[in-house]
């Protein structure tokens, strides 16, 4: 069974962390992953930096630009991760934009992920219909779970469609926004969380965007299975460096 | 085989909608409604009326006699430079502002590079009394001050794009992010035949009025609707889409696309996407784009701010790949020289974008009785400073 599915069966709320590979320093990738696991994080999204990250706010944009300037690229990330499964056992997901994956070759990219022990992929700009028509077989052959997003604007009908196509969890974007732009949740979010919970989807949901501290983590996981923190963690890395990872994780729960 | 978009927005292998889910409801609403709205008689009536009374259409199809004599072929100029605001861009913004109203939107966003599309958007927003925010790269704001001032006079807010290379590509990213943050009340007026479906097709349809007019105008002058060639410069490719549109599926009409080679294709300072690009995804569309081997989008260069986009619209990628279109790239120097020549032979100072199209005669031989229609997409007022610096005027 895929590590993501195993993790989703655990009787706890999951804390997932996103970071941009190659940031703050080019070779921090493995250290960050190991430290996050050591301090109790349940799942990690490893961000493959892209020059034009459309769905991201300034924090992740800047970390991506810095990572690319540091020299990060797809092959190097795979190289850094090649022995990761000797030391890390929590689910690992590669998150990025579709163009770098397309240039690497979707098949080669997926095979590499499989060989390393990556469990899932999040490519926000790879649309559901294109995935199903062209790439689903390749993902599946390599044991990769493709994670789809929903937002407060996603129609009920489309949520059902995405639920049917999903095999791990649904990435529930907390509000109509790019990453890193919320501070706290209001009634709109609470209503949305409850509305989705009431749909009784076959896949559990993990909330992302706008989770920055223990309050937002708790609010998001009241109905959802877990939450993903990205921008807030990157801000912390920028200020405290990789030595402060324990503090950050402990501040969330 | 058709060179138009299919119902999913593909031109051959190019196009589609590679967008994050956050944009799905916005583009889906547009996709489901754009054709119905455009075919609605009341919409058409209002669109045509505004093009006539406000934009000043039809624009003339002018026989350029001295230029024709020089190059020994029959050259006609489609005078889009005479449109209100000085370029073809306004055809699209008029169409899209009416579309936005039909969709019940009360806020408009746009991206702009040189500022022409920003001005055309600010203009129609003023006309309709709708709030307007234009994203423009910080670097472009500094080098296109008069257009920034125009947009402000027209009541628009100009927001600097501070990310990435702080030019057109980044202004587009910022506009898309704004749309993600404001999915309900906002319409995004994209300025070219780029972006996710249905934008390339919608913008091409709004610009198709150009070739629609050429057909009857040429019939009057030459007794035939079809020229031998239609010629246009291509950045994203909206003026080109407009002059090709009615002839896409008429193989007797040659299609010539002129790209900006910048300082030369091999110099690293170029915007010739057909020569330098590879298939990839930019701004939600699968098309040819300039990128690193690793799939990072690179920054193009051209002396003309309107041509330095790292991709081309999917229609043009398909015209190139299929061989239907002939692609020629023109350097800064060739374009500037051609611009000066047209000024002195015809008394028309073209925009530097358009000057690229006038430089093809050293690259391609036409027959004496060929009818060649060049889309004179914009006037050169906005480029005077560049012309002054270049020619030490």
């Amino acid at each position: 069974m895929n590590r993501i599915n195993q993790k989703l069966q655990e009787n706890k709320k999951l804390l997932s962390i996103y970071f941009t590979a190659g940031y703050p320093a080019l070779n921090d990738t493995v250290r960050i992953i190991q430290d996050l696991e050591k301090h109790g994080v349940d799942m990690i999204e490893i961000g493959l930096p892209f020059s034009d990250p459309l769905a991201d706010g300034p924090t992740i944009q800047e970390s991506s630009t810095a990572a690319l300037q540091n020299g990060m690229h797809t092959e190097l990330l795979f190289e850094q991760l090649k022995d990761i499964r000797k030391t890390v056992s929590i689910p690992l997901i590669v998150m990025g934009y579709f163009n770098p994956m397309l240039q690497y070759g979707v098949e080669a990219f997926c095979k590499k992920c499989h060989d390393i022990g990556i469990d899932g992929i999040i490519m926000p700009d790879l649309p559901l219909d294109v995935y199903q028509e062209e790439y689903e077989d390749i993902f599946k052959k390599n044991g990769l779970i493709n994670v789809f997003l929903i937002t407060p604007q996603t129609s009920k009908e489309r949520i059902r469609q995405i639920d049917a196509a999903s095999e791990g969890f649904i990435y529930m974007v907390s509000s109509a926004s790019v990453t890193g732009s919320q501070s706290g949740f209001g009634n709109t979010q609470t209503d949305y969380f409850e509305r989705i919970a009431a749909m009784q989807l076959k896949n559990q949901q993990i909330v992302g965007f706008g989770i920055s501290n223990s309050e937002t983590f708790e609010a998001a996981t009241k109905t959802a299975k877990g939450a993903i923190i990205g921008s807030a963690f990157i801000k912390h890395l920028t200020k405290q460096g990789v030595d402060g990872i324990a503090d950050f994780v402990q501040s969330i729960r | 085989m058709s060179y138009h978009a299919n119902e999913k927005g593909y031109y051959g292998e190019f196009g589609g909608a590679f967008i994050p889910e956050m944009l799905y409801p916005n583009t889906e609403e547009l996709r489901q409604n754009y054709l119905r709205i455009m075919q609605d008689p009341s919409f058409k009536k209002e669109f045509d009326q505004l093009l006539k009374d406000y934009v000043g259409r039809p624009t003339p199809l002018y026989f350029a006699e001295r230029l024709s004599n020089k190059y020994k072929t029959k050259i006609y100029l489609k005078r889009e430079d005479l449109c209100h605001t000085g370029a073809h861009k306004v055809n699209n913004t008029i169409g899209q502002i009416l579309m936005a109203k039909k969709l019940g939107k009360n806020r408009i966003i746009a991206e702009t590079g040189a500022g022409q599309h920003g001005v055309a958007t600010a203009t129609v927003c003023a006309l309709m009394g709708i709030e307007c925010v234009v994203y423009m790269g910080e670097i472009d704001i500094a080098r296109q001050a008069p257009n920034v001032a125009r947009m402000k006079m027209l009541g628009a807010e100009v927001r600097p794009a501070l990310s990435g290379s702080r030019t057109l590509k980044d202004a587009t990213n910022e506009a898309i992010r704004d749309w993600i943050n404001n999915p309900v009340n906002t319409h995004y007026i994209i300025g070219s035949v780029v972006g996710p479906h249905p934008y390339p097709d919608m913008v091409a349809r709004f610009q198709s009025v150009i070739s629609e007019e050429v057909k009857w105008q040429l019939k009057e002058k030459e007794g035939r609707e079809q020229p031998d060639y239609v010629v246009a410069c291509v950045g994203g490719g909206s003026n080109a889409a407009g002059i090709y549109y009615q002839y896409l599926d008429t193989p007797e009409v040659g299609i010539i696309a002129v790209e900006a080679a910048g300082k030369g294709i091999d110099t690293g300072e170029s915007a010739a996407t057909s020569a330098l690009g590879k298939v990839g995804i930019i701004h939600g569309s699968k098309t040819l784009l300039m990128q690193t081997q690793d799939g990072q989008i690179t920054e193009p260069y051209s002396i003309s701010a309107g041509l330095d986009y790292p991709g081309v619209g999917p229609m043009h990628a398909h015209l190139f790949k299929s061989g239907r279109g002939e692609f020629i790239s023109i350097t800064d120097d060739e374009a500037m020289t051609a611009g000066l020549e047209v000024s002195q032979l015809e008394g028309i100072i073209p925009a530097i974008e358009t000057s690229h199209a006038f430089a093809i005669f050293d690259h391609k031989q036409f027959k004496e009785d060929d009818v060649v229609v060049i889309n004179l997409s914009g006037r050169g007022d906005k480029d005077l400073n560049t012309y002054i610096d270049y020619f030490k005027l």
Side-chain angles (χ1 to χ4, degrees):
Chain A
M1 189 193 263
N2 187 299
R3 291 181 198 90
I4 295 172
N5 296 117
Q6 281 176 24
K7 183 59 80 175
L8 287 164
Q9 286 178 0
E10 288 181 14
N11 186 26
K12 65 191 280 206
K13 298 296 184 181
L14 305 180
L15 170 61
S16 187
I17 297 280
Y18 168 94
F19 75 101
T20 306
Y23 182 85
L26 183 60
N27 292 314
D28 284 338
T29 314
V30 171
R31 157 102 195 262
I32 290 173
I33 294 170
Q34 288 172 340
D35 279 15
L36 286 171
E37 177 174 51
K38 190 169 123 194
H39 297 294
V41 165
D42 297 297
M43 186 158 66
I44 297 173
E45 279 89 37
I46 305 165
L48 178 62
F50 181 49
S51 55
D52 294 75
L54 288 181
D56 287 301
T59 304
I60 294 180
Q61 286 171 42
E62 281 158 21
S63 68
S64 301
T65 306
L68 292 171
Q69 275 165 0
N70 288 343
M72 182 48 73
H73 58 86
T74 311
E75 189 65 56
L76 179 61
L77 176 62
F78 289 148
E79 181 61 31
Q80 289 178 343
L81 294 175
K82 76 176 179 342
D83 293 325
I84 198 72
R85 282 304 173 198
K86 289 182 182 160
T87 55
V88 172
S89 58
I90 57 173
L92 298 176
I93 296 174
V94 170
M95 182 164 186
Y97 289 82
F98 187 48
N99 197 47
M101 186 185 199
L102 190 64
Q103 300 313 317
Y104 194 86
V106 175
E107 184 130 33
F109 191 102
C110 289
K111 171 131 201 330
K112 212 63 189 227
C113 286
H114 172 265
D115 294 349
I116 289 167
I118 298 294
D119 308 291
I121 302 276
I122 307 177
M123 289 281 152
D125 59 343
L126 172 57
L128 177 63
D129 59 334
V130 176
Y131 168 73
Q132 288 182 319
E133 279 162 35
E134 295 181 41
Y135 303 117
E136 189 168 6
D137 291 347
I138 300 172
F139 276 56
K140 287 196 168 158
K141 200 173 69 189
N142 289 290
L144 295 168
I145 287 177
N146 191 21
V147 178
F148 297 102
L149 279 57
I150 62 170
T151 81
Q153 269 69 44
T154 310
S155 70
K156 212 167 185 176
E157 186 193 5
R158 187 157 170 89
I159 291 173
R160 293 280 175 212
Q161 207 183 351
I162 286 169
D163 189 38
S166 299
E167 292 182 319
F169 62 90
I170 290 175
Y171 191 131
M172 199 167 135
V173 176
S174 68
S175 59
S177 72
V178 294
T179 55
S181 44
Q182 282 280 314
S183 53
F185 292 130
N187 289 339
T188 326
Q189 272 81 38
T190 316
D191 291 351
Y192 162 58
F193 295 160
E194 280 167 9
R195 174 163 60 87
I196 300 302
M199 285 183 78
Q200 306 271 323
L201 300 174
K202 90 175 159 72
N203 292 275
Q204 303 187 76
Q205 305 94 49
I206 296 189
V207 180
F209 291 41
I211 322 290
S212 58
N213 51 29
S214 59
E215 292 84 62
T216 39
F217 180 79
E218 245 169 64
T221 54
K222 206 174 246 177
T223 53
K225 178 67 178 170
I228 303 170
I229 300 179
S231 298
F233 178 64
I234 288 170
K235 277 184 192 153
H236 189 83
L237 282 178
T238 305
K239 274 195 218 133
Q240 313 285 332
V242 287
D243 294 331
I245 289 176
D247 296 346
F248 183 81
V249 178
Q250 280 148 22
S251 75
I252 305 300
R253 66 171 186 201
Chain B
M1 178 166 173
S2 174
Y3 293 91
H4 289 276
N6 70 16
E7 73 286 352
K8 285 180 140 182
Y10 280 90
Y11 299 83
E13 64 175 295
F14 302 107
F18 291 79
I19 46 165
E21 193 62 31
M22 292 80 107
L23 283 175
Y24 183 83
N26 314 32
T27 53
E28 187 61 11
E29 180 185 30
L30 199 55
R31 189 189 66 79
Q32 284 178 3
N33 292 294
Y34 82 110
L35 290 176
R36 178 184 58 77
I37 291 174
M38 287 178 78
Q39 281 151 9
D40 178 342
S42 74
F43 178 91
K44 280 174 90 154
K45 192 176 165 211
E46 199 176 355
F47 181 54
D48 290 346
Q49 196 72 44
L50 281 169
L51 288 184
K52 179 170 178 281
D53 297 335
Y54 187 73
V55 174
R57 304 203 71 92
T59 59
L61 181 69
Y62 162 72
F63 177 60
E65 192 174 351
R66 298 187 69 208
L67 202 60
S68 297
N69 288 342
K70 167 142 194 202
Y71 291 107
K72 302 194 169 35
T73 190
K74 290 171 111 170
I75 301 169
Y76 282 88
L77 308 182
K78 182 59 176 162
R79 298 291 310 274
E80 293 300 299
D81 59 319
L82 296 177
C83 288
H84 177 45
T85 72
H88 71 289
K89 291 285 185 190
V90 73
N91 301 327
N92 170 48
T93 60
I94 293 272
Q96 285 206 48
I97 197 81
L98 295 176
M99 179 71 63
K101 278 176 67 181
K102 291 272 184 196
L103 292 171
K105 307 292 177 181
N106 57 22
R107 179 173 176 270
I108 295 295
I109 53 171
E111 84 295 338
T112 197
Q116 290 305 103
H117 173 60
V119 169
T121 303
T123 299
V124 298
C125 287
L127 178 68
M128 299 294 172
I130 294 181
E131 181 189 347
C132 179
V133 175
V134 178
Y135 288 89
M136 188 168 186
E138 196 184 27
I139 289 180
D140 289 333
I141 287 179
R143 61 184 179 187
Q144 306 289 340
N147 273 343
V148 176
R150 281 186 188 104
M151 287 184 268
K152 287 182 179 166
M153 273 195 80
L154 293 161
E157 181 193 343
V158 180
R159 283 194 197 162
L162 305 170
S163 60
S165 50
R166 292 169 289 147
T167 58
L168 174 59
K169 160 176 93 77
D170 311 285
T172 309
N173 291 341
E174 288 306 326
I176 291 174
R177 289 181 187 121
D178 183 307
W179 212 21
I180 289 175
N181 291 329
N182 299 285
V184 180
N185 70 333
T186 297
H187 176 72
Y188 176 19
I189 300 190
I190 293 185
S192 191
V193 288
V194 301
H197 178 59
Y199 278 102
D201 185 49
M202 181 172 71
V203 176
R205 284 170 188 265
F206 285 136
Q207 293 293 358
S208 69
V209 64
I210 299 173
S211 46
E212 220 171 275
E213 289 172 4
V214 171
K215 278 174 92 172
W216 62 259
Q217 289 171 320
L218 201 61
K219 177 94 180 165
E220 277 179 13
K221 291 178 195 301
E222 292 284 333
R224 54 170 163 139
E225 290 185 344
Q226 296 166 10
D228 295 290
Y229 294 93
V230 282
V231 181
C233 61
V234 174
S238 68
N239 93 80
I243 197 135
Y244 303 160
Y245 195 89
Q246 302 293 339
Y247 302 116
L248 283 170
D249 294 337
T250 311
E252 303 79 48
V253 180
I255 285 175
I256 298 178
V258 185
E259 289 185 311
K263 294 183 177 165
I265 283 177
D266 302 320
T267 61
E269 293 187 79
S270 178
T273 307
S274 69
L276 299 167
K278 281 186 303 172
V279 180
I281 312 288
I282 183 170
H283 298 139
S285 180
K286 190 177 207 178
T287 187
L288 291 170
L289 64 123
M290 291 165 54
Q291 52 185 314
T292 65
Q293 202 189 346
D294 205 40
Q296 311 296 341
I297 299 171
T298 54
E299 194 54 25
Y301 163 81
S302 163
I303 194 168
S304 144
L307 299 182
D308 62 359
Y309 183 69
V312 287
M315 172 199 282
H316 303 302
H318 183 49
L319 291 173
F320 175 72
K321 194 82 180 276
S322 64
R324 171 73 182 95
E326 182 178 349
F327 281 63
I328 296 174
S329 43
I330 296 298
T331 63
D332 289 355
D333 291 337
E334 292 172 311
M336 296 303 276
T337 307
L340 186 64
E341 181 177 83
V342 173
S343 304
Q344 298 183 351
L345 284 178
E346 298 293 346
I348 298 169
I349 301 175
I352 298 175
E353 289 81 3
T354 319
S355 293
H356 286 72
F358 284 110
I360 58 164
F361 297 102
D362 294 330
H363 292 259
K364 183 165 174 73
Q365 195 69 48
F366 294 96
K367 293 202 286 281
E368 235 172 273
D369 58 350
D370 276 347
V371 171
V372 180
V373 178
I374 298 180
N375 198 15
L376 213 176
S377 54
R379 60 176 175 245
D381 309 29
K382 71 180 176 64
D383 295 319
L384 264 188
N385 275 333
T386 314
Y387 280 126
I388 289 167
D389 288 348
Y390 188 87
F391 291 113
K392 313 270 181 275
L393 299 170

